[in-house]
Amino acid sequence: MAKAPVLTPQADDFPRWYQDLINKAELADNGPVRGTMVIRPYGYGLWERMQQEMDARIKGAGASNAYFPLFIPQSYLTREAEHVEGFAPELAVVTHGGGKELEEPVVVRPTSETIINEYFSKWVQSYRDLPLLINQWANVVRWEMRPRVFLRTTEFLWQEGHTAHATYEDARDYAARIHRDVYADFMTNLLGIDVVLGRKTPKERFAGAINTLTLEAMMGDGKALQMGTSHELGQNFAKAFHTQFLSKDGKQELVWQTSWGASTRMVGGLIMSHGDDSGLRVPPRLAPVQAVVLAIKGDDAVLAKAREIGGRLSAAGIRVQVDDRTDTPFGRRAVDWELKGVPVRIEIGPRDLENGSAMLVRRIAGGKEPVQFDALEALLPKIFEDDQALLLRQSRERRESRTSDVKSVAEAAEAAMAGGWARIPWSELGAEGEAALAEKAVTVRCLVAEDGSVPDSDDAPGTLAVVGRAY
């Protein structure tokens, strides 16, 4: 009788494979309240690495970290009508505290535009105070009707940036800078995920924004996942919160603003972009553990060599873990590390000591070969870069091979329902066609120019709509 697979094969049931992998790789559990999640240490290690790399890029763009309260007076949200209408179904509202009914209900933070604008209006007095560039790492709550771990949860972790500028042009350019230099750079060069940069249609924009820039990635099953967004808010919140400044000309003017965010949804994107039937495949530049050194048996000499190699690799700047849990069968440990997607396993047993080499197993490219102990420090960095490039290439090839150029709504829907994306001239699709696609659970993911760049406006000549089914 054939041995049952550790994970449900992707081809049999992609959603079940996804859930199996989260459980078997010990990434997360469902929380006690519907829609919440408990992120386990290995899953949180992935998020920590994402935080570190994103935070460096955000600071490189000039923003500073701050923190704002979790609880927001309900009256703040009602000041910007379009914003509160967009979030109303998702709000969690607290009406009692300390055993008493509150004089004013408070909303558990769904996003922080309103409370941050309350303070921006205090902090910004003059053009000399601009631009004001703030980022926050926090949790947010949006009551989710159809939860899925990492992808859609009632509470999730994220960063949200909020900025104020003296001119429309400055705000527009900064939103584009975050979109390109922070998000696209991180997702392409660290996550190894090919992303399409575009702008949302008016129907899909963030509530209260005048423009939303998005990054869309194709998952292993052909569906789209929105990986991050950067919004031009215009002066909508500035009007509601009276966020104004004294210009160089001595006039009181409203600020122009942006907001932008990326969340733990990226962990789900990582899983569905790179995972296979054996588990995760973690890009080496991102991986919390780039190499694991496995002692096959509890022989003193084997353990000593495994620990020695672990120390040498760590000293060489490689994120390494030594697995010397020899009371657990070697086969089980090897499968566990394969599920977790660690790029390289270095396996050492008594016979390897005799040969002066270790068995090097590559998770991403596949294959294994003996490597001399002394060659490991020099060899691993090259392997990591090759495997990093391979993941990005595979991600891009999947998107390109499963994207069709079409000319009608019917053809666009057919391509999406078949497990891919379609590109269709926005002039042919329009808002009416967008509504027709939505009836088939197909959405316009973004608008792009013919050369793949981000269009300057929704109706720029030659603009294409990228459509597909989405998470």
Side-chain angles (χ1 to χ4, degrees):
M1 180 181 292
K3 187 176 180 180
V6 176
L7 303 174
T8 300
Q10 290 185 356
D12 290 353
D13 189 336
F14 194 85
R16 174 53 58 188
W17 165 83
Y18 177 79
Q19 194 59 50
D20 284 353
L21 179 49
I22 286 172
N23 292 334
K24 296 291 179 66
E26 300 179 336
L27 300 178
D29 270 325
N30 291 315
V33 175
R34 184 178 183 276
T36 62
M37 63 177 169
V38 176
I39 305 177
R40 300 185 67 175
Y42 190 73
Y44 199 82
L46 293 172
W47 175 241
E48 281 184 312
R49 287 285 302 138
M50 292 181 185
Q51 279 185 302
Q52 292 164 9
E53 293 290 343
M54 289 269 290
D55 197 61
R57 286 164 173 77
I58 289 167
K59 288 173 179 171
S64 299
N65 287 336
Y67 186 80
F68 293 82
L70 174 68
F71 297 120
I72 302 172
Q74 192 174 47
S75 60
Y76 284 18
L77 273 80
T78 61
R79 294 188 205 175
E80 213 292 320
E82 185 179 351
H83 187 67
V84 70
E85 182 180 354
F87 277 101
E90 302 176 341
L91 297 180
V93 182
V94 179
T95 59
H96 289 71
K100 298 180 180 180
E101 185 173 355
L102 301 177
E103 292 184 9
E104 179 186 353
V106 297
V107 173
V108 183
R109 174 176 54 218
T111 181
S112 298
E113 275 77 8
T114 58
I115 192 167
I116 288 179
N117 268 278
E118 175 72 11
Y119 286 86
F120 274 15
S121 68
K122 295 179 180 180
W123 298 344
V124 175
Q125 303 297 323
S126 162
Y127 70 90
R128 296 182 182 88
D129 300 320
L130 299 173
L132 180 56
L133 313 175
I134 296 292
N135 179 62
Q136 172 174 242
W137 290 96
N139 63 335
V140 292
V141 171
R142 299 178 186 175
W143 216 257
E144 182 57 56
M145 296 298 103
R146 294 173 296 169
R148 185 174 294 181
V149 173
F150 290 121
L151 299 178
R152 290 187 177 276
T153 49
T154 294
E155 180 191 13
F156 56 89
L157 306 180
W158 78 341
Q159 59 73 212
E160 51 177 318
H162 300 269
T163 70
H165 305 260
T167 67
Y168 160 74
E169 290 78 12
D170 194 37
R172 177 201 61 198
D173 293 347
Y174 194 79
R177 180 181 180 185
I178 293 293
H179 188 224
R180 179 188 63 247
D181 296 346
V182 175
Y183 292 156
D185 179 73
F186 167 74
M187 293 168 191
T188 302
N189 294 317
L190 265 293
L191 297 187
I193 297 177
D194 175 68
V195 287
V196 172
L197 281 67
R199 61 189 289 141
K200 287 291 190 183
T201 64
K203 177 180 179 295
E204 295 290 333
R205 280 181 197 145
F206 177 71
I210 62 171
N211 182 33
T212 289
L213 302 173
T214 184
L215 302 100
E216 303 287 330
M218 181 182 283
M219 301 295 99
D221 61 350
K223 288 186 179 179
L225 186 71
Q226 179 181 288
M227 297 287 287
T229 49
S230 182
H231 315 286
E232 297 175 47
L233 301 180
Q235 295 179 310
N236 290 338
F237 289 91
K239 291 173 184 175
F241 287 84
H242 308 293
T243 311
Q244 53 191 1
F245 66 100
L246 190 66
S247 71
K248 291 181 180 179
D249 298 329
K251 298 177 181 178
Q252 287 290 330
E253 297 183 13
L254 294 170
V255 299
W256 296 82
Q257 293 182 265
T258 78
S259 70
W260 26 277
S263 74
T264 38
R265 172 179 283 199
M266 292 191 295
V267 179
L270 180 77
I271 296 167
M272 295 193 296
S273 288
H274 299 320
D276 61 20
D277 285 347
S278 297
L280 269 173
R281 294 189 303 161
V282 182
R285 293 179 190 170
L286 177 78
V289 179
Q290 295 174 307
V292 60
V293 182
L294 275 82
I296 294 176
K297 294 189 175 181
D299 179 281
D300 287 345
V302 168
L303 291 171
K305 177 57 74 171
R307 291 163 184 159
E308 175 203 327
I309 289 175
R312 280 175 24 210
L313 295 179
S314 180
I318 293 167
R319 295 185 291 279
V320 63
Q321 183 167 329
V322 175
D323 186 345
D324 54 8
R325 301 168 298 157
T326 52
D327 54 343
T328 299
F330 168 74
R332 178 177 173 181
R333 289 184 288 140
V335 169
D336 285 346
W337 288 114
E338 189 164 71
L339 282 165
K340 287 180 166 64
V342 171
V344 165
R345 297 200 310 272
I346 299 165
E347 302 172 353
I348 302 174
R351 188 174 301 173
D352 299 299
L353 292 183
E354 295 175 6
N355 298 331
S357 64
M359 185 60 66
L360 188 146
V361 183
R362 294 176 63 172
R363 176 68 184 91
I364 295 167
K368 58 184 180 180
E369 61 178 329
V371 175
Q372 293 296 306
F373 293 139
D374 292 342
L376 288 167
E377 289 104 319
L379 179 61
L380 289 186
K382 183 180 185 306
I383 287 176
F384 293 154
E385 287 306 294
D386 288 347
D387 287 351
Q388 184 80 30
L390 175 61
L391 287 175
L392 179 60
R393 186 165 65 251
Q394 290 176 341
S395 177
R396 181 169 293 131
E397 288 171 351
R398 176 173 61 237
R399 176 183 63 80
E400 291 176 346
S401 67
R402 298 173 74 169
T403 300
S404 305
D405 287 301
V406 302
K407 295 182 179 180
S408 71
V409 174
E411 290 175 335
E414 182 181 356
M417 299 302 288
W421 292 1
R423 283 187 300 255
I424 181 172
W426 177 240
S427 60
E428 295 290 332
L429 184 65
E432 185 175 335
E434 183 177 18
L437 288 175
E439 293 178 0
K440 301 177 182 293
V442 176
T443 55
V444 177
R445 304 313 307 158
C446 61
L447 302 176
V448 298
E450 290 178 315
D451 63 0
S453 62
V454 180
D456 293 331
S457 64
D458 300 335
D459 55 359
T463 295
L464 301 173
V466 177
V467 309
R469 299 176 69 196
Y471 285 96

